[in-house]
Amino acid sequence: MIFDDSLPLVGIPACLVNDEGRKIHRVGDKYIHAIYDVSGCAAVLVPAMGDRHDFRTLIDRLDGILLTGGASNVEPEHYDGVPSRRGTLHDASRDNTTLPLIRQAVAASVPVFAICRGIQELNVALGGTLHQLIHELPGKSDHRMDRRLPAAERFVPRHTIAITPDGVLHRVTGGAAREIVNSAHAQAIDKPAEGLKVEAVSEDGVIEAVSVIGSKTFSLGVQWHPEHPLAVKTPLSIALFKAFGAACHDRERARHVSPERTHAA
């Protein structure tokens, strides 16, 4: 995808992982490729530095925020949840980076695309709560990754979602009523934040997509992985990343319009 103007900068918050005693800020390659190849933007890593960030500077200089999946869970203290079970992986540095960044991005109308852990962060940042183990709830299916499968097959389409009529996802998909998506999560939205609209649900009632109510730009979260190589070339993923990219290009152009040009227009 080629644009005549400069590429927008999409910030991708990193996970902070421990690799044999070394702390590494990590972002999966698949997210970066989706931003470059489908959204037509440039990706920049946002290290998991928590309140050491000047979030206002980030918001002023970025044209979009992509929130990725991750192996860790959002710590329940952020939504008054019960303590996690022993052995649950958390990433406090990522939580302390993404949650304030999301709130400022939404307030400043910076495009936000939240994926898997990202949709959970979006919900928590705006005041919602999470289920930590949805497969243990009555009537719910097991949405976790099937690790018995070869790695190349773990993100095959798993279940259908029903899309809310006249919502953001409905418009982005060109009016689709249903889609089929992959699934690799144990946490999911419990109570949606008051500022979010449910955009899609799975067959067993799990919230699969949300949007920011009243947003002037693309502000969408999805529970599946549209960036995965098995999914990214599908019409659904292409529509999502193109819509996000278009919103980022709009912001990039608006940021570079001088006050004099704005006044003259």
Side-chain angles (χ1 to χ4, degrees):
M1 182 182 294
I2 300 175
F3 293 87
D4 293 333
D5 50 358
S6 58
L7 292 182
L9 293 178
V10 173
I12 308 180
C15 298
L16 186 62
V17 299
N18 190 321
D19 180 12
E20 298 181 348
R22 298 173 299 168
K23 290 186 177 181
I24 297 175
H25 297 263
R26 186 169 69 189
V27 170
D29 184 64
K30 58 184 179 176
Y31 298 101
I32 295 170
H33 277 287
I35 289 299
Y36 274 94
D37 298 339
V38 189
S39 294
C41 301
V44 293
L45 183 150
V46 178
M49 300 295 289
D51 60 9
R52 294 182 65 183
H53 277 298
D54 177 354
F55 290 106
R56 186 68 262 167
T57 297
L58 288 174
I59 292 300
D60 287 344
R61 297 183 182 179
L62 293 175
D63 301 303
I65 304 291
L66 179 72
L67 300 162
T68 72
S72 62
N73 287 352
V74 178
E75 289 195 284
E77 66 185 53
H78 293 294
Y79 54 91
D80 294 327
V82 299
S84 299
R85 287 186 182 172
R86 186 175 181 178
T88 300
L89 181 63
H90 292 297
D91 186 344
S93 296
R94 171 165 169 159
D95 291 347
N96 293 332
T97 301
T98 57
L99 299 181
L101 183 62
I102 290 166
R103 288 188 282 266
Q104 293 200 32
V106 169
S109 296
V110 176
V112 174
F113 190 12
I115 294 172
C116 198
R117 190 190 202 274
I119 190 179
Q120 298 159 17
E121 292 169 323
L122 176 63
N123 188 52
V124 170
L126 300 184
T129 64
L130 302 177
H131 290 301
Q132 296 184 40
L133 299 164
I134 54 172
H135 55 282
E136 295 185 359
L137 298 175
K140 303 301 183 186
S141 301
D142 192 341
H143 288 250
R144 294 174 296 177
M145 180 191 301
D146 187 349
R147 296 188 180 276
R148 297 170 299 179
L149 294 173
E153 299 176 14
R154 293 176 186 174
F155 287 87
V156 297
R158 288 267 302 276
H159 62 76
T160 60
I161 57 170
I163 298 173
T164 303
D166 300 321
V168 173
L169 186 58
H170 188 249
R171 293 194 296 273
V172 167
T173 59
R178 293 184 178 275
E179 292 282 357
I180 185 166
V181 299
N182 55 44
S183 188
H185 61 100
Q187 284 201 139
I189 291 176
D190 176 13
K191 178 184 177 182
E194 290 185 4
L196 296 179
K197 174 183 177 179
V198 175
E199 294 280 345
V201 296
S202 63
E203 297 159 313
D204 57 341
V206 172
I207 294 173
E208 291 281 340
V210 295
S211 64
V212 176
I213 297 171
S215 177
K216 299 177 181 178
T217 188
F218 185 101
S219 296
L220 187 73
V222 300
Q223 188 57 75
W224 66 92
H225 284 268
E227 86 294 341
H228 192 272
L230 291 178
V232 74
K233 295 181 180 180
T234 65
L236 174 59
S237 291
I238 291 171
L240 287 167
F241 278 105
K242 280 189 173 180
F244 176 61
C248 294
H249 274 271
D250 287 344
R251 175 170 168 83
E252 192 274 337
R253 284 188 287 267
R255 283 199 307 112
H256 289 89
V257 172
S258 68
E260 292 78 10
R261 288 176 60 189
T262 302
H263 180 74

